[in-house]
Amino acid sequence: MLRRALLQASARCRFSSSASLLLASRRECSSSSSSSQVPDDHFVEQSVGTPQTPPSATISVDRSTLYHPPDHSHEPTDDSELVKHLKNIIKFRGGPITVAEYMEEVLTNPKAGFYINRDVFGGGGDFITSPEVSQMFGEMIGVWTMCLWEQMGQPKRINLVELGPGRGTLLADLLRGASKFKNFTESLQLHMVECSPALQKLQYQNLKCLTEDSTNGNTEKRCISTIAGTPVSWHTTLEQVPTGFPTIIIAHEFYDALPVHQFQKASRGWCEKMIDVTENSSFRFVLSPQPTPATLYLMKRCRWAETKEIAGLDHIEVCPKAMDLTQEISNRIGTDGGGALIIDYGLNGIVSDSLQAIRKHKFVDILDDPGSADLSAYVDFAAIRHSAEEVSADVTVHGPMTQSQFLGSLGINFRVEALLENCTDEQAESLRTGYWRLVGDGEAPFLEGPDEQAPIGMGTRYLAMAIVNKKQGVPVPFE
Ligand code: SAH
């Protein structure tokens, strides 16, 4: 009922321009070199006489046999601040860093990380995401959120948390779509978990926020999104979001930005892929001579897999931050009630070698000019399920299902039809293209013009998974 009412509501429309709909999302860039094709000249297997030690609980990192780059500190260099910083870490540590540490620095270094100082989305940026493709995405997430809130017994106050809200578009569309359902919008406290000060500012603008004096007499200011009169606050980690209230957490294209460790099978067993600096001062991959601390996570991940799943693999990625974050989410939902929705591209099983770099809508080399390109990796949804179930007996995990099934079951077809009834020709084309991008599979069949301009559907490569408190029953549309 609620779903139908929302779909018919003539909420104010946010039509995307059709030009922006033709831009590449992270998984469909025109490829010059992809992650799995690491150029050979970047890769060196360290020829060390390490015995074939199986991973054990006692781990030490022996960097003594690794290459030590010469000190370049007095030579003039064109290196960016971030490149200098990465080279300094490698130099002062006396050896290479893990791919995860590289990824974390490249994306979120507080001074020069990829996300930190700019808007990376859309036409002028590096990639496009579903909320930027069409208003319908945020609206459908709104339908999901309202249904869960109903299943929770319509609590008077809930925390609605978004992890990595980008431009804030998803929540702005969610609030606009839900603004007629006052009981729901009045229950919301929005919490934005965002590490980028530049994106925090954009979120403030897009949520049409005002800052006002606190009502309870203390000197603190509070922010209100004027879209539906909802209080908003910002945090850099989920841990900072207050507990003690039922909580709904949305993570759209957040998990893929969490740092992954990469392992490769060598003659001496599984070795961690690391990043080092060559004599001519460029980055290259090397293999760790001995088990590294992250091997513990590799072992944990492999225990969750069937032997045949691992047997044919010579690369495995693990994401300890994703496992830890999932456990934090599950504990919170297990205690406070509510649920989490995770949507991302990935697999329902072990991920082998997926790390990729994207600059200006094109795949580039992972080691090329770090900080100027996005880095992301496939999400291992099976690891999320196991992490959630391991830590809390009070939550259940549902899915993953494809984005196409998820949005289709929530009623996106009815929504697009309702919007098409009242729009210009240009808006209609934009809506149709956006709809295809969200739920289609492969190139859109209806678009005339050059192939490279055909919108490509994200409907089957993106997956949706929910973690909910057992009390809430099965969330829509996972029944
Ligand atoms: N959800 C948005 C943006 C996805 S991009 C969308 O779909 O459009 C990833 C987002 O997560 C960005 O906002 C980025 O700044 C944020 N982010 C990445 N790593 C983070 C971290 N470790 N902590 C907090 N925010 C992070």
Side-chain angles (χ1 to χ4, degrees), residues 9-71:
S10 57
R12 236 188 69 221
C13 303
R14 175 183 68 78
F15 288 105
S16 319
S17 86
S18 50
S20 75
L21 296 174
L22 299 175
L23 300 170
S25 74
R26 291 198 202 178
R27 299 304 315 161
E28 64 202 38
C29 293
S30 42
S31 165
S32 52
S33 75
S34 87
S35 59
S36 46
Q37 300 148 1
V38 178
D40 286 346
D41 56 340
H42 279 322
F43 202 97
V44 172
E45 187 170 343
Q46 295 290 320
S47 54
V48 285
T50 321
Q52 293 192 15
T53 349
S56 75
T58 324
I59 286 171
S60 64
V61 184
D62 173 11
R63 299 176 190 273
S64 58
T65 52
L66 295 169
Y67 171 68
H68 291 273
D71 188 343

Side-chain angles (χ1 to χ4, degrees), residues 17 20 41 45 52 72-73 104 159 241 286 346 433 475 477:
S17 86
S20 75
D41 56 340
E45 187 170 343
Q52 293 192 15
H72 290 289
S73 56
E104 186 164 7
N159 286 337
V241 176
V286 295
T433 317

Side-chain angles (χ1 to χ4, degrees), residues 26 108 115 121 127 129 131 162 164-166 193-196 199 236 252-254 257:
R26 291 198 202 178
T108 58
Y115 283 117
F121 307 95
F127 60 91
T129 57
E162 187 175 359
V193 176
E194 175 57 67
C195 65
S196 160
L199 291 176
T236 50
H252 179 256
E253 291 219 32
F254 180 73

